[in-house]
Each structure stands twice: as structure tokens, then as C-alpha cells.
Amino acid sequence: DAKTTQPPSMDCAEGRAANLPCNHSTISGNEYVYWYRQIHSQGPQYIIHGLKNNETNEMASLIITEDRKSSTLILPHATLRDTAVYYCIVRGSRGSTLGRLYFGRGTQLTVWP
Amino acid sequence: DAGVIQSPRHEVTEMGQEVTLRCKPISGHNSLFWYRQTMMRGLELLIYFNNNVPIDDSGMPEDRFSAKMPNASFSTLKIQPSEPRDSAVYFCASSLGATHSGGYTFGSGTRLTVV
């Protein structure tokens, strides 16, 4: 039931910015966009989330388009430890979807030296 | 805070045996989620609780699976009888409310192998 589309893989040079795109064209007005990542053999880790405004924290920046149909996660200075699968998720907000996080296949980001 | 604690980390069992996975959420979090991850199906939500009450168990694959949350600091996921196709990594996550806009914290998972 994933409502997002992401490229299956991307790579990035260490020290450069990694820009991970996500399409969520069916997003509803009150649904948040969440980003998580999963490093091999570990549980998913929360990165950032947003509704309509761009957001920034110590890990990343999230850019959401004005029509909210797509977003981009930016890791400003990628390191080797950022190699992981990155999931873009639209969080259910009503009724039976309340609280659900639908994880799609995500994007495998590989940071190379 | 020690984070979400799951046990055991690894479990190998024979087909037909009962398996119990355990989870201790972060203190103060009142929502708890059980996920399963396989190569074929990715991460799937099995069930989630809010204030110890099961809210949505539509992801539980069949009657062999059951989950309980007897109190705010403990939850179990039981499989009886287990089958080889249940082999997967099972994750528990907790949050401050299912509707809270903050993120969910996941445990390190239990890798289950049913032979």
C-alpha cells in the first residue's frame, strides 16, 4: 500500500550532497511525508518529516514541492556511514490508516570514497 | 534511554514450535508497532497498539499470529505453530502516540529462522 515512488538505487561521492527524490502524487492535504533509513541489519531510523514547509535538522534537509506531490531528502555532506536504504513514507492520518507507516522498497544509497 | 529493546536477537526453531518475541518500548511512549521484514515483501506492519489496546491488526497474516500488550512497558508477538515461511526479521517500534507527528523509534529486531 506504499503511496510513494523512489528510484531503486543511487550513489554519491563522499563529501558531496546526496539528493534523494520521492514522488507522492496522491498525498492528501493532512498527510505528512516521513523519511527513514535502514542501515544493513539494523532497525529503520527516523530522519525527518514535513507537511508542506521545508524542514532541516542535524541529519538532513527536506524539500517539499509547493503542490506537495514530490519531495527531496538532502544529505548535505554524505559520508560512508550514510550508505543505507532510504524510505520515503506518507503517513496515514485517518481511520484505518491512522498511525500506519507504509514502507515501500526505498532507495539504496551507496556512498563511495 | 536504552531505546526500544527486543529479545531475543536471534531465534532458530523447528517447524511446529511456538515462538514468542518480546518488546520493551521506550518509557513514556504509548504507541507500539510490530513489523515484519522479508526480502520478498519488505517491511510490513503487522499490528499496532495505542495505550495498550490493539488498534489495527489487519496486517497479522493469519490466526497463528497473536500479539499482546499487558502493560505499557511490555509486548509480545507469538507464533503458534511456526512455519518456515515465518522466517523473517521482526521489528518492534514505539512512539509518543500514533498520531504524534514525530518519528517512531525501532528496535534492533529479532531474526527468526524456522527450519
Side-chain angles (χ1 to χ4, degrees), chain A residues 34 36 49 91 98 100 105, chain B residues 40 48 58 100-101 104:
Chain A
Y34 280 73
Y36 281 74
H49 73 280
R91 196 197 77 189
L98 186 65
R100 283 179 168 271
R105 287 298 182 176
Chain B
M40 290 292 292
Y48 83 87
S58 60
H100 192 258
S101 60
Y104 301 179

Side-chain angles (χ1 to χ4, degrees), chain A residues 1-4 6 34-38 43-46 85-91 99-106, chain B residues 33-37 41-45 91 93 104-106:
Chain A
D1 288 14
K3 299 172 64 175
T4 63
Q6 299 176 254
Y34 280 73
W35 283 83
Y36 281 74
R37 73 180 183 183
Q38 187 173 25
Q45 176 190 23
Y46 166 78
V85 177
Y86 287 76
Y87 297 98
C88 169
I89 301 160
V90 170
R91 196 197 77 189
R100 283 179 168 271
L101 291 181
Y102 294 100
F103 285 83
R105 287 298 182 176
Chain B
F33 307 82
W34 283 100
Y35 280 82
R36 177 172 69 175
Q37 186 171 34
R41 300 175 67 89
L43 271 161
E44 304 173 276
L45 176 65
F91 289 104
Y104 301 179
T105 302
F106 281 78

Side-chain angles (χ1 to χ4, degrees), chain B residues 61-98:
Chain B
E62 49 198 275
D63 292 344
R64 298 184 297 106
F65 286 69
S66 62
K68 294 182 180 180
M69 192 164 186
N71 56 62
S73 59
F74 183 66
S75 177
T76 59
L77 177 68
K78 185 177 293 186
I79 308 172
Q80 166 63 21
S82 58
E83 298 182 2
R85 60 194 168 117
D86 301 330
S87 297
V89 181
Y90 291 81
F91 289 104
C92 175
S94 71
S95 75
L96 187 61

Side-chain angles (χ1 to χ4, degrees), chain A residues 15-70:
Chain A
R16 304 296 293 270
N19 298 292
L20 292 92
C22 179
N23 287 322
H24 31 79
S25 58
T26 60
I27 193 170
S28 299
N30 58 356
E31 289 181 320
Y32 284 79
V33 178
Y34 280 73
W35 283 83
Y36 281 74
R37 73 180 183 183
Q38 187 173 25
I39 296 170
H40 183 62
S41 299
Q42 299 181 20
Q45 176 190 23
Y46 166 78
I47 300 173
I48 199 168
H49 73 280
L51 183 62
K52 57 178 72 173
N53 297 322
N54 297 338
E55 303 287 345
T56 295
N57 63 21
E58 65 279 4
M59 291 182 69
S61 294
L62 174 60
I63 309 298
I64 302 174
T65 57
E66 192 169 340
D67 63 8
R68 301 188 72 237
K69 292 184 177 182
S70 65

